[in-house]
Coordinates of all heavy atoms in Angstrom, one line a residue:
V1 N 11.6 6.8 0.6 CA 10.7 6.8 -0.6 C 10.7 5.5 -1.3 O 9.7 4.9 -1.6 CB 11.0 8.0 -1.6 CG1 10.2 7.9 -2.8 CG2 10.8 9.3 -0.9
K2 N 11.9 4.9 -1.5 CA 12.0 3.7 -2.2 C 11.4 2.5 -1.4 O 10.7 1.7 -2.0 CB 13.5 3.4 -2.5 CG 13.8 2.2 -3.4 CD 15.2 2.0 -3.7 CE 15.5 0.8 -4.6 NZ 17.0 0.7 -4.9
E3 N 11.7 2.5 -0.1 CA 11.2 1.4 0.7 C 9.7 1.5 0.8 O 9.0 0.5 0.9 CB 11.8 1.5 2.1 CG 13.3 1.0 2.1 CD 13.8 0.8 3.5 OE1 13.5 1.6 4.3 OE2 14.5 -0.2 3.7
T4 N 9.2 2.8 0.9 CA 7.7 3.0 1.0 C 7.0 2.4 -0.3 O 6.0 1.7 -0.2 CB 7.4 4.5 1.1 OG1 7.8 4.9 2.3 CG2 5.9 4.7 0.9
Q5 N 7.6 2.6 -1.4 CA 7.0 2.1 -2.7 C 7.0 0.6 -2.7 O 6.1 -0.1 -3.1 CB 7.8 2.6 -3.9 CG 7.1 2.2 -5.2 CD 5.7 2.6 -5.3 OE1 5.4 3.8 -5.1 NE2 4.8 1.7 -5.6
K6 N 8.1 0.0 -2.1 CA 8.1 -1.5 -2.0 C 7.0 -2.0 -1.1 O 6.3 -3.0 -1.5 CB 9.5 -2.0 -1.4 CG 10.6 -2.0 -2.4 CD 10.4 -3.2 -3.4 CE 11.6 -3.5 -4.2 NZ 11.4 -4.6 -5.2
V7 N 6.8 -1.4 0.0 CA 5.7 -1.8 0.9 C 4.3 -1.7 0.2 O 3.5 -2.5 0.3 CB 5.7 -1.0 2.2 CG1 4.5 -1.3 3.1 CG2 7.0 -1.4 3.0
L8 N 4.1 -0.6 -0.5 CA 2.9 -0.4 -1.3 C 2.7 -1.5 -2.3 O 1.6 -2.0 -2.5 CB 2.8 1.0 -1.9 CG 2.9 2.2 -1.0 CD1 2.8 3.5 -1.7 CD2 1.9 2.1 0.1
D9 N 3.8 -1.9 -2.9 CA 3.8 -3.0 -3.9 C 3.4 -4.3 -3.2 O 2.6 -5.1 -3.7 CB 5.1 -3.2 -4.5 CG 5.5 -2.1 -5.5 OD1 4.6 -1.4 -5.9 OD2 6.7 -2.0 -5.8
Y10 N 3.9 -4.6 -1.9 CA 3.5 -5.8 -1.2 C 2.0 -5.8 -0.9 O 1.3 -6.8 -0.9 CB 4.2 -5.9 0.1 CG 5.7 -5.8 0.0 CD1 6.5 -5.2 1.0 CD2 6.4 -6.3 -1.1 CE1 7.9 -5.2 0.9 CE2 7.8 -6.2 -1.2 CZ 8.5 -5.6 -0.2 OH 9.9 -5.5 -0.3
I11 N 1.4 -4.6 -0.6 CA 0.0 -4.5 -0.4 C -0.8 -4.9 -1.6 O -1.8 -5.7 -1.6 CB -0.4 -3.1 0.1 CG1 0.2 -2.8 1.5 CG2 -1.9 -2.9 0.1 CD1 0.1 -1.4 1.9
G12 N -0.3 -4.4 -2.8 CA -1.0 -4.9 -4.0 C -0.8 -6.3 -4.3 O -1.8 -7.0 -4.7
E13 N 0.3 -6.9 -3.9 CA 0.5 -8.4 -4.1 C -0.4 -9.1 -3.2 O -1.0 -10.2 -3.5 CB 2.0 -8.7 -3.8 CG 2.3 -10.2 -3.9 CD 2.1 -10.8 -5.3 OE1 2.1 -10.0 -6.3 OE2 1.9 -12.0 -5.4
A14 N -0.6 -8.6 -1.9 CA -1.6 -9.3 -1.0 C -3.0 -9.3 -1.6 O -3.7 -10.4 -1.6 CB -1.6 -8.6 0.3
R15 N -3.4 -8.2 -2.2 CA -4.7 -8.2 -2.8 C -4.8 -9.2 -4.0 O -5.8 -9.9 -4.2 CB -5.1 -6.8 -3.3 CG -6.5 -6.7 -3.9 CD -6.6 -5.6 -5.0 NE -6.7 -4.3 -4.4 CZ -5.9 -3.3 -4.7 NH1 -4.8 -3.6 -5.4 NH2 -6.0 -2.1 -4.2
R16 N -3.7 -9.2 -4.8 CA -3.7 -10.1 -6.0 C -3.8 -11.6 -5.5 O -4.3 -12.5 -6.2 CB -2.5 -9.9 -6.8 CG -2.5 -8.7 -7.7 CD -1.4 -8.6 -8.6 NE -0.1 -8.4 -8.0 CZ 0.4 -7.2 -7.7 NH1 -0.3 -6.1 -8.0 NH2 1.5 -7.0 -7.1
R17 N -3.3 -11.9 -4.3 CA -3.4 -13.2 -3.8 C -4.7 -13.5 -3.1 O -4.9 -14.6 -2.5 CB -2.2 -13.5 -2.8 CG -0.9 -13.6 -3.4 CD 0.2 -13.5 -2.4 NE 1.5 -13.8 -3.0 CZ 2.2 -14.9 -2.9 NH1 1.7 -15.9 -2.3 NH2 3.4 -15.1 -3.5
G18 N -5.6 -12.6 -3.1 CA -7.0 -12.8 -2.6 C -7.2 -12.4 -1.2 O -8.2 -12.6 -0.6
L19 N -6.2 -11.7 -0.6 CA -6.4 -11.2 0.7 C -7.0 -9.8 0.7 O -7.0 -9.1 -0.2 CB -5.0 -11.1 1.4 CG -4.4 -12.4 2.0 CD1 -4.1 -13.4 0.9 CD2 -3.2 -12.1 2.8
S20 N -7.6 -9.4 1.9 CA -8.1 -8.1 2.1 C -7.1 -7.4 3.1 O -6.4 -8.0 3.8 CB -9.5 -8.1 2.8 OG -10.4 -8.8 1.9
V21 N -7.1 -6.0 3.0 CA -6.1 -5.3 3.7 C -6.8 -4.0 4.3 O -7.5 -3.3 3.6 CB -4.9 -4.8 2.9 CG1 -3.9 -4.0 3.7 CG2 -4.2 -6.0 2.3
I22 N -6.5 -3.7 5.6 CA -6.9 -2.4 6.2 C -5.5 -1.7 6.4 O -4.7 -2.2 7.1 CB -7.6 -2.6 7.5 CG1 -9.0 -3.3 7.3 CG2 -7.9 -1.2 8.1 CD1 -9.7 -3.6 8.6
F23 N -5.4 -0.6 5.8 CA -4.1 0.2 5.8 C -4.4 1.5 6.6 O -5.1 2.4 6.2 CB -3.8 0.5 4.4 CG -2.5 1.3 4.2 CD1 -2.1 1.5 2.9 CD2 -1.7 1.8 5.2 CE1 -0.9 2.2 2.6 CE2 -0.6 2.5 5.0 CZ -0.2 2.7 3.7
I24 N -3.8 1.5 7.9 CA -4.0 2.6 8.8 C -2.8 3.5 8.6 O -1.6 3.1 8.7 CB -4.1 2.1 10.2 CG1 -5.1 1.0 10.4 CG2 -4.4 3.3 11.2 CD1 -4.9 0.2 11.6
T25 N -3.0 4.8 8.4 CA -1.9 5.7 8.2 C -2.3 7.2 8.4 O -3.5 7.5 8.3 CB -1.3 5.6 6.8 OG1 -0.1 6.4 6.7 CG2 -2.3 6.0 5.7
H26 N -1.3 8.0 8.7 CA -1.5 9.5 8.6 C -1.2 10.0 7.3 O -1.5 11.2 7.0 CB -0.6 10.2 9.7 CG -1.0 9.9 11.1 ND1 -0.7 8.8 11.8 CD2 -1.8 10.7 11.9 CE1 -1.2 8.9 13.0 NE2 -1.9 10.0 13.1
N27 N -0.5 9.3 6.4 CA 0.0 9.8 5.2 C -1.0 9.5 4.0 O -1.0 8.4 3.5 CB 1.4 9.2 4.9 CG 2.1 9.9 3.8 OD1 1.5 10.3 2.8 ND2 3.4 10.2 4.0
L28 N -1.7 10.5 3.6 CA -2.7 10.2 2.6 C -2.1 9.9 1.2 O -2.6 9.2 0.4 CB -3.6 11.5 2.4 CG -4.5 11.8 3.6 CD1 -5.2 13.2 3.4 CD2 -5.5 10.7 3.9
Y29 N -0.9 10.5 1.0 CA -0.2 10.2 -0.3 C 0.3 8.8 -0.4 O 0.6 8.3 -1.5 CB 1.0 11.2 -0.4 CG 0.5 12.6 -0.6 CD1 0.3 13.4 0.5 CD2 0.2 13.1 -1.9 CE1 -0.1 14.7 0.3 CE2 -0.3 14.4 -2.0 CZ -0.5 15.2 -0.9 OH -0.9 16.5 -1.1
H30 N 0.4 8.1 0.7 CA 0.8 6.7 0.7 C -0.4 5.8 0.5 O -0.4 4.8 -0.3 CB 1.5 6.3 2.0 CG 2.9 6.9 2.1 ND1 3.6 6.8 3.3 CD2 3.6 7.6 1.2 CE1 4.8 7.4 3.1 NE2 4.8 7.9 1.9
V31 N -1.5 6.1 1.2 CA -2.7 5.2 1.2 C -3.5 5.4 0.0 O -4.1 4.4 -0.5 CB -3.5 5.5 2.5 CG1 -4.3 6.8 2.5 CG2 -4.5 4.3 2.8
Y32 N -3.5 6.6 -0.6 CA -4.5 6.9 -1.7 C -4.2 6.0 -2.9 O -5.2 5.4 -3.4 CB -4.4 8.3 -2.0 CG -5.4 8.8 -3.0 CD1 -6.7 9.2 -2.6 CD2 -5.1 8.9 -4.4 CE1 -7.7 9.6 -3.5 CE2 -6.1 9.3 -5.3 CZ -7.3 9.6 -4.9 OH -8.3 10.0 -5.8
P33 N -3.0 5.8 -3.4 CA -2.8 5.1 -4.6 C -3.2 3.6 -4.6 O -3.5 3.0 -5.6 CB -1.3 5.2 -5.0 CG -0.9 6.4 -4.2 CD -1.7 6.4 -2.9
V34 N -3.1 3.0 -3.4 CA -3.3 1.5 -3.3 C -4.7 1.1 -2.7 O -5.0 -0.1 -2.7 CB -2.2 0.9 -2.4 CG1 -0.8 1.1 -3.0 CG2 -2.2 1.4 -1.0
S35 N -5.5 2.1 -2.3 CA -6.7 1.8 -1.7 C -7.9 1.7 -2.7 O -7.9 2.4 -3.6 CB -7.1 2.8 -0.6 OG -6.2 2.8 0.5
D36 N -8.8 0.7 -2.5 CA -10.0 0.7 -3.2 C -11.0 1.7 -2.6 O -11.9 2.2 -3.3 CB -10.6 -0.7 -3.2 CG -9.7 -1.7 -3.8 OD1 -9.3 -1.6 -5.0 OD2 -9.2 -2.7 -3.1

């Protein structure tokens, strides 16, 4: 759980730096909070 939150934070940091991200997953609870 802790490491997952870190990875989700890195995705947010990538967006803040101007990058786009495609996040492929089976876990809706992981993808939902960070997706536009």
Side-chain angles (χ1 to χ4, degrees):
V1 173
K2 185 175 181 180
E3 288 190 319
T4 292
Q5 186 55 54
K6 278 287 190 183
V7 170
L8 300 183
D9 291 343
Y10 306 148
I11 293 172
E13 179 62 24
R15 185 209 280 120
R16 284 189 291 274
R17 288 169 173 257
L19 280 67
S20 301
V21 178
I22 300 173
F23 181 175
I24 309 157
T25 184
H26 288 85
N27 194 315
L28 297 175
Y29 292 91
H30 292 173
V31 72
Y32 188 84
V34 297
S35 294
D36 299 299

